Amino acid sequence: MPKEVPVLRRAVREHLGGPCSEVELCVSELVGNVVRHVGAGTPVRVRVAAAGDGRTRIEVSDPDPRALPVLLRAALDDESGRGMALLDAVALRWGVRRGEAGKTVWCEVADA
């Protein structure tokens, strides 16, 4: 994973006023998916905000509307394919919003 992801996790902790492992995991996985499936150096926008009802919403936007996340069930000996399964296990819900300027993958987690 690129060196910017730990910096991004630190910025999320500062934004939230402390650690929140679920939010940090979701940000890492969603940004990591952009890097792996769209390409390093792809511009991304990360948004973390209160969604109400005790939830935090995480959104990661990128310019490629075609590279959509897929929930896989990795076999025991697979070396990849677990990122969206981790996100699915942690998030209350998640989805993808496609538009002319790309896509936004979002998820919501319970506030800690």
Side-chain angles (χ1 to χ4, degrees):
M1 197 163 293
K3 63 185 174 186
E4 292 85 4
V5 174
V7 173
L8 183 56
R9 281 194 300 264
R10 191 167 35 258
V12 167
R13 281 192 300 274
E14 290 173 9
H15 173 73
L16 295 174
C20 181
S21 57
E22 290 87 0
V23 174
E24 293 176 48
L25 172 91
C26 291
V27 167
S28 296
E29 289 303 326
L30 293 176
V31 171
N33 275 350
V34 173
V35 171
R36 277 187 295 282
H37 301 292
V38 180
T42 300
V44 296
R45 182 178 59 89
V46 177
R47 182 174 180 265
V48 176
D53 296 333
R55 294 172 289 128
T56 298
R57 185 174 177 102
I58 300 107
E59 297 180 351
V60 174
S61 302
D62 71 73
D64 189 342
R66 299 164 296 150
L68 300 177
V70 177
L71 180 59
L72 300 174
R73 299 292 178 211
L76 292 176
D77 58 346
D78 288 345
E79 293 186 19
S80 64
R82 291 179 179 80
M84 290 309 293
L86 284 170
L87 185 134
D88 188 61
V90 169
L92 299 170
R93 60 188 193 137
W94 66 274
V96 181
R97 192 175 63 243
R98 290 167 51 169
E100 290 182 22
K103 70 177 173 302
T104 298
V105 182
W106 60 269
C107 67
E108 293 177 354
V109 298
D111 290 342

